[in-house]
Amino acid sequence: MKFSDPITLLKNIGSKRVEVFNNHGIYTLYDLLYYFPRRHLDRTSVKKIKDLIKGESCTIIATVQTFGVKPIRKGKMYQVMVNDKSGILTLNWFNSIRIIKNLFKVGDKLAIHGKIDWFHGFSITHPEFDKLEKNDDPISTGEVIPLYPLTNEFKSVGIDQRIFRKIIKEALSYKLNIPEIYSSEVLKNNALFSLSEALQNIHYSSSNKKLNKAIKRLKFDEHFFLQLFMAIRKKSIKSLGTKSLNDIGPYFRTISESLNFELTGAQKKVIQEIHTDIKNNVPMNRLLQGDVGSGKTIVSILVSALALGNNTQVAIMAPTEILARQHFSSFKTEFDKVKISCALLVGNMKKKERFSILNGLVLGKVGVLVGTHALIQEDVIFKSLNLVIIDEQHRFGVNQRAQLLNKGENPHFLAMTATPIPRTLSITYNGDMELSIIDELPKNRIPVITKVVKPQRLIKVFNFIKDQIKQNHQCMVIYPLVEESEKSDLAAAVQAYENFKTKIFKKVSIGLIHGKMKTEEKDLIMNSFSKNEINLLISTTVIEVGVDIPNATVMLIEHAERFGLTQLHQLRGRVGRGAEKSYCILVKRKATSNSNKRLDIMEETNDGFLISDEDLKLRGPGEFFGIKQSGFFKFKIADLVRDGPIIRTARKAAFDIVEKDKNLKRKSNKLIRNKFLNEYSQYLDAISFS
């Protein structure tokens, strides 16, 4: 048999089962062997019930002793009592009781995984579990037993763990031609199993040591090909030519000397790094990281001034209209001083206004264009675009970034983010870029004081807000949703606005802003807030980034447990931007162990890098940026949080290969090239690869 043969050649897969396998992306033996176990049972991963500790997550092998429905105050729950001869563990379910109650019988042997709780004995709520055969016992047999992610669809055609393992075992029994993609040198230098050994041992391993080596090899593969993409992109950028922006020009000095504050040492250092890059005739490709309030915007303005001093144009793209408008206001304020024309391009503009901007761009009369995704539309044509700046670039796709860059002749590129990114994630997500970090806040910044409160204390909090407003300061209250839904118990911004206006803050000027408002309405509210005509702003998370009100000293975040750490930190960054002591009050309405950890961290530190590390550990990379990632993060086995050493070795191996063979044309790289083209074809427009 061949790796590419269909699974229909296997004995235990008939027509009904084929359909289920196909629905899970399994068509060939290759697909089958890459359907990895979600967990393995071995001597070291199983705990006895007597040794359990509250709060830890672990795996237990135990036998069903009794089960049944138990009435509780708000309905029913289903309980299963299991025993492993060292003690008793209770499994609890509050949902899907009708389905759950038909899954067990006395004497069933289960592998159970979940977080341990204690209530009249050890318990797990909504555990993961698998039924085992009588001889599936790693403690007594010393075997490593794979547990696969089997959905109800598999079970509906009679495929349980035992049958699935039997199917895998049959596939592995044939002498499949599994081609090795790496040279013997790469395998040796990185202490890797061959692909054939790895696939054998990920499914059937005689020891935990061999299993770990198999996992390492398969993780290495996934990280390697992402790093290969980054290496090729970085190499292709360095092979391009572009306009070198040597001159400092007349604008930089005028704007920098007119500032009413002194740049920090970190800002000066970063500007120097960027200036060194853009003086070259190779396009800059740099990421600027800076914590909230560190002064990235003025850096981008001064860098733009350097570029404009070379008779060129600058484009700044932001992910939201409110952030684009904030940037436009900042850029226009500074460039009006030197009579450089700035324009704002967003969706739903009047045709006449849009035509005027586009005409000015083509003629070179508009020097700086700020906008949203509207910048990448086909009719947006620059006369001489040589610097592209993208803010919060993780919210844009790889190809969107490429579309904007294609509007110039290989322009210099600067990405900015206020989300401090842990190193392992940074070299994965931004591995093709040079890195600049602003790790110093302006001298007049006082750290924001953060407190977690329960709803019972809100009357005191509201009185505190009134006192701040009496001192001519401004405050913000943030809600997760715009309005109540039948399925949600979240406090609503709209209802809170009415309640505050008519009952709690009768004598205070209150504004409301949320994502469903028209642009004109939002602009009006934000303009009034910036002029201190509004004392208290009720808002949803549309103000997460891009709002700079130095007079705002208090932010109250409702249902703070619903937010991720990074988002809470971004929101907190909207206050404390002036010289006054500022406060962030986090209202906790529902507590979980994870939410308590997040809120404790917020109280303990203002360090964005520490917060980002903890956020990544708690939520994983898919949710780290506040959006669902796609494409790059569809890993089967790799883990961006825990794979730091493997990522670094895979990166070195990939960069070494590309350094010697940019387009992977050497015979030794043929299989690497084929796999790369297959897996990254949708991103090839964003790199120079032939």
Side-chain angles (χ1 to χ4, degrees):
M1 278 199 190
K2 294 184 296 220
F3 215 15
S4 57
D5 280 345
I7 56 171
T8 50
L9 297 179
L10 299 175
K11 295 172 187 173
N12 287 286
I13 302 181
S15 57
K16 285 185 179 178
R17 288 180 173 179
V18 165
E19 187 178 346
V20 173
F21 274 93
N22 290 172
N23 289 342
H24 288 77
I26 302 171
Y27 297 89
T28 66
L29 297 182
Y30 174 95
D31 300 328
L32 178 66
L33 294 184
Y34 272 86
Y35 195 77
F36 299 137
R38 60 180 168 80
R39 187 176 298 115
H40 292 82
L41 297 179
D42 64 79
R43 287 174 180 272
T44 61
S45 68
V46 178
K47 290 201 80 167
K48 290 285 186 183
I49 291 174
K50 70 179 178 65
D51 298 325
L52 297 179
I53 300 170
K54 181 184 175 183
E56 72 175 359
S57 293
C58 58
T59 299
I60 305 104
I61 295 177
T63 304
V64 174
Q65 188 174 324
T66 183
F67 50 82
V69 176
K70 180 180 178 180
I72 54 176
R73 190 167 56 180
K74 292 185 179 180
K76 298 175 182 177
M77 66 186 270
Y78 194 75
Q79 284 192 329
V80 176
M81 311 285 284
V82 298
N83 189 328
D84 70 350
K85 296 183 180 178
S86 78
I88 294 172
L89 174 69
T90 305
L91 313 179
N92 300 319
W93 285 268
F94 296 95
N95 304 317
S96 307
I97 291 176
R98 193 182 307 171
I99 298 169
I100 292 290
K101 71 179 183 180
N102 295 318
L103 297 180
F104 304 100
K105 63 180 186 292
V106 173
D108 279 348
K109 190 175 186 179
L110 305 179
I112 304 146
H113 186 82
K115 190 168 188 178
I116 306 301
D117 207 344
W118 177 272
F119 183 71
H120 301 310
F122 289 119
S123 66
I124 302 178
T125 300
H126 296 173
E128 294 180 41
F129 69 93
D130 293 283
K131 286 188 182 179
L132 302 178
E133 295 299 298
K134 287 184 179 179
N135 60 349
D136 285 346
D137 187 350
I139 303 298
S140 60
T141 65
E143 291 181 354
V144 179
I145 300 165
L147 296 177
Y148 293 90
L150 300 185
T151 62
N152 288 331
E153 196 177 0
F154 274 116
K155 293 167 187 174
S156 71
V157 291
I159 299 177
D160 57 14
Q161 292 290 342
R162 182 179 60 85
I163 296 294
F164 198 91
R165 289 202 291 269
K166 194 173 180 181
I167 291 168
I168 291 283
K169 188 169 272 189
E170 184 192 349
L172 288 169
S173 70
Y174 297 105
K175 290 185 178 179
L176 298 174
N177 179 22
I178 300 177
E180 178 53 64
I181 59 174
Y182 302 129
S183 66
S184 57
E185 184 184 7
V186 170
L187 293 176
K188 183 181 177 182
N189 289 346
N190 295 284
L192 298 176
F193 260 171
S194 69
L195 184 56
S196 179
E197 286 177 296
L199 289 174
Q200 171 69 45
N201 282 278
I202 192 70
H203 296 289
Y204 281 97
S205 183
S206 59
S207 71
N208 204 37
K209 183 178 179 181
K210 286 185 177 180
L211 171 63
N212 288 334
K213 285 198 75 172
I215 291 171
K216 177 188 173 183
R217 163 60 200 262
L218 295 167
K219 285 186 172 200
F220 181 95
D221 285 1
E222 292 189 334
H223 290 303
F224 174 85
F225 280 95
L226 178 50
Q227 291 303 320
L228 195 68
F229 175 88
M230 294 297 177
I232 291 169
R233 174 166 168 75
K234 192 168 187 176
K235 188 83 169 174
S236 65
I237 289 169
K238 286 187 175 180
S239 68
L240 297 173
T242 191
K243 180 179 180 179
S244 58
L245 308 178
N246 289 307
D247 295 335
I248 293 177
Y251 311 124
F252 177 85
R253 187 167 283 108
T254 302
I255 293 173
S256 60
E257 290 177 354
S258 70
L259 299 175
N260 58 2
F261 57 87
E262 186 182 345
L263 294 174
T264 64
Q267 286 173 315
K268 291 174 183 176
K269 176 175 173 285
V270 163
I271 291 169
Q272 184 59 54
E273 288 171 349
I274 295 168
H275 190 207
T276 300
D277 275 3
I278 64 176
K279 285 193 289 188
N280 294 321
N281 57 7
V282 173
M284 173 178 70
N285 188 37
R286 187 169 284 274
L287 173 66
L288 172 58
Q289 283 191 51
D291 213 341
V292 286
S294 63
K296 294 180 300 300
T297 301
I298 191 60
V299 167
S300 65
I301 288 170
L302 290 169
V303 168
S304 297
L306 287 170
L308 289 160
N310 290 265
N311 193 29
T312 188
Q313 291 170 299
V314 178
I316 300 99
M317 186 162 71
T320 65
E321 191 170 313
I322 196 166
L323 182 53
R325 289 180 179 275
Q326 180 74 40
H327 279 322
F328 172 68
S329 174
S330 300
F331 272 74
K332 190 173 187 308
T333 298
E334 299 304 330
F335 283 107
D336 277 353
K337 299 173 184 176
V338 290
K339 298 180 180 177
I340 290 288
S341 174
C342 293
L344 175 70
L345 193 67
V346 293
N348 302 318
M349 293 183 74
K350 292 178 182 176
K351 283 186 178 180
K352 187 177 179 181
E353 184 182 3
R354 179 182 169 82
F355 176 79
S356 175
I357 292 170
L358 297 184
N359 190 49
L361 271 184
V362 172
L363 296 174
K365 292 180 180 178
V366 172
V368 178
L369 182 64
V370 183
T372 56
H373 293 78
L375 268 61
I376 63 177
Q377 292 175 0
E378 283 187 23
D379 59 349
V380 179
I381 301 169
F382 293 80
K383 182 182 180 183
S384 57
L385 177 64
N386 282 102
L387 176 62
V388 168
I389 299 173
I390 295 183
D391 200 5
E392 298 299 329
Q393 77 142 356
H394 54 267
R395 300 201 186 185
F396 297 99
V398 175
N399 289 333
Q400 287 176 317
R401 185 171 93 176
Q403 280 177 276
L404 184 54
L405 289 169
N406 287 339
K407 293 187 179 293
E409 290 293 325
N410 304 324
H412 297 282
F413 175 62
L414 177 67
M416 301 195 299
T417 180
T419 304
I421 306 171
R423 177 160 172 74
T424 54
L425 194 57
S426 184
I427 64 174
T428 301
Y429 195 81
N430 304 110
D432 58 331
M433 308 181 81
E434 304 300 330
L435 183 63
S436 288
I437 299 176
I438 304 178
D439 53 5
E440 181 183 358
L441 290 176
K443 291 175 183 175
N444 65 338
R445 291 286 163 85
I446 302 171
V448 176
I449 296 169
T450 304
K451 292 290 180 187
V452 177
V453 301
K454 293 182 178 178
Q456 300 91 301
R457 293 189 60 196
L458 277 176
I459 292 174
K460 286 186 177 180
V461 171
F462 293 151
N463 287 333
F464 176 69
I465 288 174
K466 287 175 186 175
D467 288 342
Q468 287 287 304
I469 291 170
K470 282 178 185 175
Q471 295 173 43
N472 202 33
H473 297 151
Q474 292 165 276
C475 306
M476 291 178 255
V477 181
I478 310 299
Y479 287 85
L481 292 182
V482 174
E483 55 195 21
E484 290 280 5
S485 68
E486 291 178 3
K487 295 180 181 178
S488 173
D489 62 351
L490 295 183
V494 176
Q495 290 182 350
Y497 170 70
E498 295 298 334
N499 187 39
F500 283 5
K501 194 174 178 182
T502 57
K503 296 177 183 177
I504 301 170
F505 295 100
K506 291 180 183 178
K507 297 179 181 179
V508 171
S509 174
I510 303 178
L512 171 68
I513 185 169
H514 57 72
K516 291 185 179 179
M517 295 171 74
K518 291 180 179 177
T519 300
E520 295 79 10
E521 293 177 289
K522 283 191 277 192
D523 287 347
L524 193 64
I525 294 294
M526 290 310 299
N527 192 42
S528 296
F529 191 52
S530 65
K531 292 178 179 177
N532 202 3
E533 295 168 357
I534 290 174
N535 311 124
L536 179 62
L537 182 66
I538 315 299
S539 174
T540 57
T541 53
V542 293
I543 67 151
E544 182 183 339
V545 291
V547 175
D548 189 1
I549 310 293
N551 193 47
T553 57
V554 178
M555 170 168 285
L556 186 148
I557 302 176
E558 267 286 2
H559 288 279
E561 73 278 358
R562 304 277 177 151
F563 296 91
L565 264 174
T566 301
Q567 193 175 29
L568 286 172
H569 184 58
Q570 292 281 352
L571 287 166
R572 176 169 63 183
R574 300 308 105 203
V575 294
R577 303 178 79 84
E580 300 294 331
K581 186 181 286 188
S582 296
Y583 306 85
C584 179
I585 301 164
L586 307 173
V587 183
K588 177 171 69 174
R589 292 188 177 269
K590 283 190 176 181
T592 65
S593 57
N594 257 5
S595 68
N596 285 339
K597 281 181 193 172
R598 289 198 300 272
L599 300 184
D600 287 347
I601 290 165
M602 287 296 294
E603 276 192 315
E604 290 166 8
T605 183
N606 282 276
D607 185 331
F609 284 93
L610 176 60
I611 285 168
S612 71
D613 276 329
E614 293 301 322
D615 201 17
L616 186 60
K617 289 174 191 171
L618 289 170
R619 295 196 297 157
E623 295 287 353
F624 177 75
F625 291 114
I627 57 172
K628 285 282 187 184
Q629 294 293 342
S630 60
F632 288 170
F633 291 121
K634 286 180 181 174
F635 290 151
K636 289 177 185 286
I637 195 168
D639 184 335
L640 289 169
V641 180
R642 298 174 181 87
D643 291 352
I646 298 176
I647 293 172
R648 287 188 280 277
T649 56
R651 177 177 172 81
K652 184 179 185 306
F655 274 70
D656 284 349
I657 286 171
V658 171
E659 183 61 34
K660 298 169 187 171
D661 184 17
K662 178 194 162 188
N663 289 308
L664 309 176
K665 290 288 183 71
R666 291 183 182 178
K667 187 177 179 181
S668 59
N669 294 327
K670 182 182 176 182
L671 293 179
I672 292 176
R673 177 185 168 87
N674 291 345
K675 188 174 172 69
F676 178 74
L677 287 171
N678 182 49
E679 296 194 6
Y680 282 85
S681 58
Q682 61 182 313
Y683 300 111
L684 294 184
D685 288 345
I687 62 175
S688 173
F689 186 77
S690 58

